[in-house]
Amino acid sequence: MNGLQFNWPIIGHHKIKQFLQTSIVNDKLAHAYIFYGPEKVGKTLTAKTFANTILCEKYQTYSSPTASTVESNLIAPCGECSSCHQFEKNIYADFYIVEREVDEKTGKKKSLISVAQIRDLLEKISKRAFLNSYKIVIIPEAQKLNQEASNCLLKTLEEPSPRTIIILISPSKELLLPTILSRSQAFKFLAVTKKDIYEYLIGKGANRSYAKELSNVASGRPTVAMKFFNDSNRFLEYKNDNLELFNVFTQSTVEKFKFIEGFVNKNKSKDVLLKKLDYLSSLTRDVLMISSYKNELIANAYLENKLERAAADYSQTRLKNFAVRIEETKDLLRKNINPRLVLENLILNL
């Protein structure tokens, strides 16, 4: 039987990719996997690509026990077969993604994944596969499973259905039940190197200066780099947001009051406020890097001159304290404390 080649658009994570691909080639697939690590480093993309490969008709041909010979240079996922087309449109019958449901009253996602959702899932995967393939489940926020849902899922992991794969994704493995961990293969995803992101962008056609700028901004998160690479307007918006946020380092107290008022009025969504605080945290880190003479480590290199002026005005202790208060402010916002009050407390005490 000829070899199988892989078409995986994943930046970095070379050892994890190699392990998963070797498992596919050798048909040694586990019934449960845990992908854990920081946000936006490629956990969900890896899970979906892994699933797509297994469900691709090219892999089904390769792994068929009745196949004596197959065409050479099989590439999976091929992106051309009916299975790949269905997968891309998210209509593949034996592929399931379990996410938090939307609350009909508020229009927002519920805080947790319910046991009813898991019971419904288990009923579906207990049946024979529609397409005589694997049944694959991805839970992108497995840490959001409530206690009852986790225990319900555990029963399936203890007695797995044949040709069923469940992939749990979480920021940390400690957020999952130890008994779930013990019945799964766990993979830790780390931040990706600038070099890997830079080289991938060059391969996608980015010029060197743009690839360097995006790989810096990404700060080890390939998903961020590709989001901006695929949408230059979004990247311009990001840069404008950072220019606006940088003003907190240079404004007078009166100007800061005006800034906070406009900022809260313009960014009413809690999720948007949290995202902007992430930007402010990145700017603060950049100023700290420059004050430590580590300019090569800054994310927002296009602001280097401004960052250097701020580094001259603030001590490292002050900047470190501000970085801690940003994280505390994010926690308060998540607890629905008044945004104006928490932002005033943060910015006026910089």
Side-chain angles (χ1 to χ4, degrees):
M1 189 176 288
N2 291 306
L4 187 68
Q5 299 180 32
F6 295 93
N7 177 30
W8 285 24
I10 297 164
I11 306 173
H13 310 303
H14 304 292
K15 291 183 179 180
I16 293 175
K17 284 190 293 187
Q18 184 178 22
F19 184 94
L20 295 175
Q21 290 171 355
T22 300
S23 299
I24 289 172
V25 168
N26 295 329
D27 199 23
K28 299 289 185 182
L29 300 172
H31 67 278
Y33 297 88
I34 294 172
F35 294 174
Y36 68 98
E39 291 184 356
K40 304 186 190 313
V41 295
K43 301 186 300 295
T44 302
L45 177 60
T46 301
K48 288 183 176 180
T49 305
F50 182 48
N52 190 180
T53 303
I54 294 167
L55 299 175
C56 175
E57 290 174 13
K58 296 292 186 183
Y59 171 67
Q60 299 299 324
T61 300
Y62 173 83
S63 63
S64 171
T66 60
S68 55
T69 61
V70 296
E71 62 182 280
S72 61
N73 299 320
L74 283 177
I75 298 176
C78 69
E80 298 174 352
C81 66
S82 60
S83 294
C84 283
H85 287 311
Q86 290 174 40
F87 188 93
E88 185 179 356
K89 295 175 182 177
N90 201 28
I91 57 173
Y92 191 90
D94 298 312
F95 176 64
Y96 308 90
I97 295 180
V98 182
E99 299 181 291
R100 288 178 288 155
E101 294 177 322
V102 174
D103 190 311
E104 293 182 1
K105 294 181 180 179
T106 65
K108 298 180 180 179
K109 283 188 175 182
K110 295 180 180 179
S111 59
L112 297 171
I113 297 170
S114 69
V115 66
Q117 288 178 263
I118 299 302
R119 285 173 178 160
D120 179 60
L121 169 72
L122 298 186
E123 182 180 354
K124 290 175 181 175
I125 64 175
S126 66
K127 299 173 182 176
R128 181 174 178 175
F130 286 96
L131 302 172
N132 198 32
S133 65
Y134 275 87
K135 293 165 287 184
I136 303 180
V137 179
I138 295 177
I139 305 181
E141 296 179 297
Q143 77 277 10
K144 299 291 185 180
L145 290 162
N146 69 24
Q147 185 70 32
E148 197 175 359
S150 293
N151 288 329
C152 185
L153 183 64
L154 177 61
K155 294 178 182 178
T156 295
L157 298 182
E158 290 174 336
E159 300 177 7
S161 304
R163 293 177 68 80
T164 298
I165 298 172
I166 297 175
I167 306 173
L168 307 175
I169 300 172
S170 172
S172 169
K173 64 179 181 179
E174 280 70 31
L175 296 174
L176 306 176
L177 289 180
T179 42
I180 287 179
L181 279 173
S182 66
R183 288 164 175 78
S184 310
Q185 283 191 359
F187 296 90
K188 183 177 183 179
F189 284 70
L190 301 172
V192 176
T193 66
K194 284 184 183 180
K195 182 175 181 287
D196 278 340
I197 296 174
Y198 173 83
E199 290 180 349
Y200 188 87
L201 290 169
I202 292 292
K204 284 292 182 179
N207 63 51
R208 293 182 183 278
S209 61
Y210 195 46
K212 183 178 180 181
E213 187 174 32
L214 288 178
S215 60
N216 282 332
V217 165
S219 296
R221 299 164 298 167
T223 303
V224 172
M226 293 309 299
K227 177 181 70 176
F228 290 149
F229 176 70
N230 292 323
D231 189 344
S232 58
N233 289 330
R234 204 169 186 177
F235 186 44
L236 181 60
E237 181 183 338
Y238 163 82
K239 292 168 81 170
N240 289 335
D241 285 342
N242 274 300
L243 278 169
E244 179 186 20
L245 285 165
F246 182 79
N247 288 329
V248 304
F249 291 99
T250 60
Q251 290 171 329
S252 66
T253 300
V254 173
E255 288 172 331
K256 285 178 180 177
F257 269 115
K258 291 181 180 179
F259 170 83
I260 294 165
E261 181 179 3
F263 187 73
V264 173
N265 288 336
K266 187 170 71 172
N267 304 287
K268 295 185 181 296
S269 163
K270 180 172 67 176
D271 289 339
V272 172
L273 285 173
L274 289 169
K275 180 178 73 173
K276 296 294 179 66
L277 285 175
D278 283 339
Y279 293 175
L280 185 58
S281 180
S282 178
L283 288 169
T284 305
R285 177 191 173 278
D286 281 350
V287 179
L288 266 169
M289 290 298 100
I290 287 177
S291 69
S292 301
Y293 305 102
K294 297 178 180 177
N295 293 39
E296 73 281 1
L297 297 180
I298 64 174
N300 302 287
Y302 59 93
L303 291 175
E304 187 166 357
N305 291 337
K306 290 179 178 291
L307 295 167
E308 285 178 343
R309 289 197 292 272
D313 293 336
Y314 292 89
S315 69
Q316 288 196 4
T317 298
R318 195 173 170 187
L319 291 165
K320 289 175 182 177
N321 289 338
F322 186 57
V324 170
R325 289 201 300 273
I326 291 173
E327 297 307 312
E328 292 172 348
T329 300
K330 287 160 65 176
D331 287 338
L332 292 171
L333 284 174
R334 293 188 186 100
K335 295 174 183 175
N336 296 317
I337 306 299
N338 185 286
R340 186 186 300 275
L341 291 178
V342 295
L343 288 170
E344 284 179 354
N345 184 59
L346 171 68
I347 293 172
L348 295 176
N349 288 297
L350 171 59

PDB file of all heavy atoms in Angstrom, residues 270-290:
ATOM      1  N   LYS A 270     -19.360  43.682  26.525  1.00  0.00           N
ATOM      2  CA  LYS A 270     -18.345  43.216  27.471  1.00  0.00           C
ATOM      3  C   LYS A 270     -17.226  42.485  26.744  1.00  0.00           C
ATOM      4  O   LYS A 270     -16.042  42.657  27.081  1.00  0.00           O
ATOM      5  CB  LYS A 270     -18.991  42.295  28.515  1.00  0.00           C
ATOM      6  CG  LYS A 270     -18.000  41.750  29.542  1.00  0.00           C
ATOM      7  CD  LYS A 270     -18.721  41.017  30.662  1.00  0.00           C
ATOM      8  CE  LYS A 270     -19.390  39.766  30.197  1.00  0.00           C
ATOM      9  NZ  LYS A 270     -20.009  39.000  31.312  1.00  0.00           N
ATOM     10  N   ASP A 271     -17.583  41.712  25.733  1.00  0.00           N
ATOM     11  CA  ASP A 271     -16.562  40.976  24.976  1.00  0.00           C
ATOM     12  C   ASP A 271     -15.612  41.929  24.262  1.00  0.00           C
ATOM     13  O   ASP A 271     -14.406  41.676  24.192  1.00  0.00           O
ATOM     14  CB  ASP A 271     -17.224  40.030  23.974  1.00  0.00           C
ATOM     15  CG  ASP A 271     -17.914  38.847  24.642  1.00  0.00           C
ATOM     16  OD1 ASP A 271     -17.554  38.536  25.796  1.00  0.00           O
ATOM     17  OD2 ASP A 271     -18.795  38.243  24.017  1.00  0.00           O
ATOM     18  N   VAL A 272     -16.144  43.015  23.725  1.00  0.00           N
ATOM     19  CA  VAL A 272     -15.298  43.997  23.033  1.00  0.00           C
ATOM     20  C   VAL A 272     -14.378  44.686  24.036  1.00  0.00           C
ATOM     21  O   VAL A 272     -13.191  44.892  23.777  1.00  0.00           O
ATOM     22  CB  VAL A 272     -16.157  45.037  22.289  1.00  0.00           C
ATOM     23  CG1 VAL A 272     -15.284  46.175  21.738  1.00  0.00           C
ATOM     24  CG2 VAL A 272     -16.913  44.374  21.145  1.00  0.00           C
ATOM     25  N   LEU A 273     -14.917  45.036  25.200  1.00  0.00           N
ATOM     26  CA  LEU A 273     -14.094  45.666  26.238  1.00  0.00           C
ATOM     27  C   LEU A 273     -12.954  44.741  26.659  1.00  0.00           C
ATOM     28  O   LEU A 273     -11.813  45.184  26.849  1.00  0.00           O
ATOM     29  CB  LEU A 273     -14.958  46.031  27.444  1.00  0.00           C
ATOM     30  CG  LEU A 273     -15.869  47.249  27.289  1.00  0.00           C
ATOM     31  CD1 LEU A 273     -16.793  47.374  28.499  1.00  0.00           C
ATOM     32  CD2 LEU A 273     -15.060  48.529  27.118  1.00  0.00           C
ATOM     33  N   LEU A 274     -13.255  43.473  26.811  1.00  0.00           N
ATOM     34  CA  LEU A 274     -12.224  42.508  27.202  1.00  0.00           C
ATOM     35  C   LEU A 274     -11.152  42.398  26.121  1.00  0.00           C
ATOM     36  O   LEU A 274      -9.953  42.309  26.427  1.00  0.00           O
ATOM     37  CB  LEU A 274     -12.861  41.143  27.463  1.00  0.00           C
ATOM     38  CG  LEU A 274     -13.715  41.029  28.733  1.00  0.00           C
ATOM     39  CD1 LEU A 274     -14.504  39.730  28.742  1.00  0.00           C
ATOM     40  CD2 LEU A 274     -12.850  41.120  29.983  1.00  0.00           C
ATOM     41  N   LYS A 275     -11.580  42.427  24.861  1.00  0.00           N
ATOM     42  CA  LYS A 275     -10.615  42.365  23.765  1.00  0.00           C
ATOM     43  C   LYS A 275      -9.713  43.592  23.774  1.00  0.00           C
ATOM     44  O   LYS A 275      -8.487  43.490  23.617  1.00  0.00           O
ATOM     45  CB  LYS A 275     -11.354  42.268  22.426  1.00  0.00           C
ATOM     46  CG  LYS A 275     -10.426  42.191  21.217  1.00  0.00           C
ATOM     47  CD  LYS A 275     -11.191  42.050  19.917  1.00  0.00           C
ATOM     48  CE  LYS A 275     -11.881  43.346  19.533  1.00  0.00           C
ATOM     49  NZ  LYS A 275     -12.489  43.284  18.182  1.00  0.00           N
ATOM     50  N   LYS A 276     -10.300  44.775  23.999  1.00  0.00           N
ATOM     51  CA  LYS A 276      -9.509  46.005  24.019  1.00  0.00           C
ATOM     52  C   LYS A 276      -8.536  46.006  25.208  1.00  0.00           C
ATOM     53  O   LYS A 276      -7.414  46.521  25.102  1.00  0.00           O
ATOM     54  CB  LYS A 276     -10.436  47.218  24.095  1.00  0.00           C
ATOM     55  CG  LYS A 276     -11.349  47.396  22.885  1.00  0.00           C
ATOM     56  CD  LYS A 276     -10.595  47.722  21.637  1.00  0.00           C
ATOM     57  CE  LYS A 276     -11.501  47.879  20.421  1.00  0.00           C
ATOM     58  NZ  LYS A 276     -12.404  49.040  20.500  1.00  0.00           N
ATOM     59  N   LEU A 277      -8.939  45.415  26.317  1.00  0.00           N
ATOM     60  CA  LEU A 277      -8.023  45.316  27.459  1.00  0.00           C
ATOM     61  C   LEU A 277      -6.871  44.355  27.153  1.00  0.00           C
ATOM     62  O   LEU A 277      -5.755  44.536  27.657  1.00  0.00           O
ATOM     63  CB  LEU A 277      -8.780  44.880  28.715  1.00  0.00           C
ATOM     64  CG  LEU A 277      -9.649  45.966  29.354  1.00  0.00           C
ATOM     65  CD1 LEU A 277     -10.456  45.391  30.520  1.00  0.00           C
ATOM     66  CD2 LEU A 277      -8.798  47.138  29.843  1.00  0.00           C
ATOM     67  N   ASP A 278      -7.144  43.339  26.328  1.00  0.00           N
ATOM     68  CA  ASP A 278      -6.048  42.475  25.868  1.00  0.00           C
ATOM     69  C   ASP A 278      -5.041  43.289  25.064  1.00  0.00           C
ATOM     70  O   ASP A 278      -3.829  43.109  25.202  1.00  0.00           O
ATOM     71  CB  ASP A 278      -6.599  41.330  25.007  1.00  0.00           C
ATOM     72  CG  ASP A 278      -7.235  40.220  25.824  1.00  0.00           C
ATOM     73  OD1 ASP A 278      -6.909  40.118  27.022  1.00  0.00           O
ATOM     74  OD2 ASP A 278      -8.054  39.463  25.266  1.00  0.00           O
ATOM     75  N   TYR A 279      -5.557  44.181  24.223  1.00  0.00           N
ATOM     76  CA  TYR A 279      -4.670  45.057  23.447  1.00  0.00           C
ATOM     77  C   TYR A 279      -3.840  45.942  24.375  1.00  0.00           C
ATOM     78  O   TYR A 279      -2.629  46.120  24.171  1.00  0.00           O
ATOM     79  CB  TYR A 279      -5.482  45.964  22.514  1.00  0.00           C
ATOM     80  CG  TYR A 279      -6.221  45.280  21.398  1.00  0.00           C
ATOM     81  CD1 TYR A 279      -7.077  46.009  20.557  1.00  0.00           C
ATOM     82  CD2 TYR A 279      -6.079  43.913  21.134  1.00  0.00           C
ATOM     83  CE1 TYR A 279      -7.763  45.397  19.519  1.00  0.00           C
ATOM     84  CE2 TYR A 279      -6.762  43.306  20.103  1.00  0.00           C
ATOM     85  CZ  TYR A 279      -7.611  44.054  19.295  1.00  0.00           C
ATOM     86  OH  TYR A 279      -8.288  43.451  18.264  1.00  0.00           O
ATOM     87  N   LEU A 280      -4.503  46.503  25.399  1.00  0.00           N
ATOM     88  CA  LEU A 280      -3.804  47.377  26.341  1.00  0.00           C
ATOM     89  C   LEU A 280      -2.736  46.598  27.106  1.00  0.00           C
ATOM     90  O   LEU A 280      -1.642  47.113  27.373  1.00  0.00           O
ATOM     91  CB  LEU A 280      -4.807  48.011  27.311  1.00  0.00           C
ATOM     92  CG  LEU A 280      -4.251  49.041  28.293  1.00  0.00           C
ATOM     93  CD1 LEU A 280      -3.572  50.194  27.564  1.00  0.00           C
ATOM     94  CD2 LEU A 280      -5.361  49.566  29.203  1.00  0.00           C
ATOM     95  N   SER A 281      -3.042  45.355  27.425  1.00  0.00           N
ATOM     96  CA  SER A 281      -2.069  44.501  28.103  1.00  0.00           C
ATOM     97  C   SER A 281      -0.852  44.266  27.222  1.00  0.00           C
ATOM     98  O   SER A 281       0.298  44.299  27.689  1.00  0.00           O
ATOM     99  CB  SER A 281      -2.728  43.163  28.468  1.00  0.00           C
ATOM    100  OG  SER A 281      -1.819  42.313  29.125  1.00  0.00           O
ATOM    101  N   SER A 282      -1.082  44.045  25.920  1.00  0.00           N
ATOM    102  CA  SER A 282       0.014  43.839  24.982  1.00  0.00           C
ATOM    103  C   SER A 282       0.870  45.100  24.855  1.00  0.00           C
ATOM    104  O   SER A 282       2.102  45.026  24.808  1.00  0.00           O
ATOM    105  CB  SER A 282      -0.546  43.452  23.607  1.00  0.00           C
ATOM    106  OG  SER A 282       0.493  43.282  22.668  1.00  0.00           O
ATOM    107  N   LEU A 283       0.234  46.269  24.833  1.00  0.00           N
ATOM    108  CA  LEU A 283       0.976  47.533  24.765  1.00  0.00           C
ATOM    109  C   LEU A 283       1.836  47.723  26.007  1.00  0.00           C
ATOM    110  O   LEU A 283       2.989  48.159  25.928  1.00  0.00           O
ATOM    111  CB  LEU A 283       0.005  48.704  24.613  1.00  0.00           C
ATOM    112  CG  LEU A 283      -0.684  48.863  23.255  1.00  0.00           C
ATOM    113  CD1 LEU A 283      -1.803  49.890  23.345  1.00  0.00           C
ATOM    114  CD2 LEU A 283       0.318  49.248  22.179  1.00  0.00           C
ATOM    115  N   THR A 284       1.274  47.399  27.160  1.00  0.00           N
ATOM    116  CA  THR A 284       2.007  47.528  28.426  1.00  0.00           C
ATOM    117  C   THR A 284       3.219  46.598  28.435  1.00  0.00           C
ATOM    118  O   THR A 284       4.313  46.980  28.863  1.00  0.00           O
ATOM    119  CB  THR A 284       1.079  47.202  29.612  1.00  0.00           C
ATOM    120  OG1 THR A 284      -0.079  48.034  29.554  1.00  0.00           O
ATOM    121  CG2 THR A 284       1.792  47.430  30.935  1.00  0.00           C
ATOM    122  N   ARG A 285       3.019  45.392  27.941  1.00  0.00           N
ATOM    123  CA  ARG A 285       4.141  44.447  27.845  1.00  0.00           C
ATOM    124  C   ARG A 285       5.220  44.997  26.924  1.00  0.00           C
ATOM    125  O   ARG A 285       6.419  44.869  27.211  1.00  0.00           O
ATOM    126  CB  ARG A 285       3.636  43.099  27.330  1.00  0.00           C
ATOM    127  CG  ARG A 285       4.736  42.065  27.136  1.00  0.00           C
ATOM    128  CD  ARG A 285       4.231  40.851  26.383  1.00  0.00           C
ATOM    129  NE  ARG A 285       5.337  39.942  26.063  1.00  0.00           N
ATOM    130  CZ  ARG A 285       6.147  40.079  25.030  1.00  0.00           C
ATOM    131  NH1 ARG A 285       6.002  41.117  24.215  1.00  0.00           N
ATOM    132  NH2 ARG A 285       7.114  39.202  24.812  1.00  0.00           N
ATOM    133  N   ASP A 286       4.801  45.608  25.820  1.00  0.00           N
ATOM    134  CA  ASP A 286       5.776  46.171  24.880  1.00  0.00           C
ATOM    135  C   ASP A 286       6.618  47.269  25.535  1.00  0.00           C
ATOM    136  O   ASP A 286       7.839  47.340  25.334  1.00  0.00           O
ATOM    137  CB  ASP A 286       5.063  46.744  23.658  1.00  0.00           C
ATOM    138  CG  ASP A 286       4.640  45.672  22.667  1.00  0.00           C
ATOM    139  OD1 ASP A 286       5.059  44.503  22.839  1.00  0.00           O
ATOM    140  OD2 ASP A 286       3.900  45.995  21.722  1.00  0.00           O
ATOM    141  N   VAL A 287       5.955  48.128  26.301  1.00  0.00           N
ATOM    142  CA  VAL A 287       6.691  49.202  26.990  1.00  0.00           C
ATOM    143  C   VAL A 287       7.686  48.593  27.970  1.00  0.00           C
ATOM    144  O   VAL A 287       8.835  49.051  28.094  1.00  0.00           O
ATOM    145  CB  VAL A 287       5.725  50.172  27.708  1.00  0.00           C
ATOM    146  CG1 VAL A 287       6.516  51.262  28.436  1.00  0.00           C
ATOM    147  CG2 VAL A 287       4.765  50.815  26.722  1.00  0.00           C
ATOM    148  N   LEU A 288       7.265  47.543  28.651  1.00  0.00           N
ATOM    149  CA  LEU A 288       8.156  46.845  29.584  1.00  0.00           C
ATOM    150  C   LEU A 288       9.353  46.240  28.855  1.00  0.00           C
ATOM    151  O   LEU A 288      10.481  46.301  29.348  1.00  0.00           O
ATOM    152  CB  LEU A 288       7.381  45.738  30.313  1.00  0.00           C
ATOM    153  CG  LEU A 288       6.781  46.094  31.668  1.00  0.00           C
ATOM    154  CD1 LEU A 288       5.829  45.000  32.125  1.00  0.00           C
ATOM    155  CD2 LEU A 288       7.879  46.316  32.706  1.00  0.00           C
ATOM    156  N   MET A 289       9.118  45.651  27.696  1.00  0.00           N
ATOM    157  CA  MET A 289      10.208  45.058  26.926  1.00  0.00           C
ATOM    158  C   MET A 289      11.232  46.117  26.524  1.00  0.00           C
ATOM    159  O   MET A 289      12.444  45.905  26.612  1.00  0.00           O
ATOM    160  CB  MET A 289       9.662  44.362  25.674  1.00  0.00           C
ATOM    161  CG  MET A 289       8.871  43.083  25.919  1.00  0.00           C
ATOM    162  SD  MET A 289       9.848  41.765  26.701  1.00  0.00           S
ATOM    163  CE  MET A 289       9.307  41.925  28.419  1.00  0.00           C
ATOM    164  N   ILE A 290      10.726  47.276  26.096  1.00  0.00           N
ATOM    165  CA  ILE A 290      11.636  48.347  25.685  1.00  0.00           C
ATOM    166  C   ILE A 290      12.414  48.885  26.880  1.00  0.00           C
ATOM    167  O   ILE A 290      13.612  49.165  26.784  1.00  0.00           O
ATOM    168  CB  ILE A 290      10.850  49.474  24.980  1.00  0.00           C
ATOM    169  CG1 ILE A 290      10.414  48.993  23.591  1.00  0.00           C
ATOM    170  CG2 ILE A 290      11.690  50.754  24.853  1.00  0.00           C
ATOM    171  CD1 ILE A 290       9.578  49.965  22.812  1.00  0.00           C
TER     172      ILE A 290
END
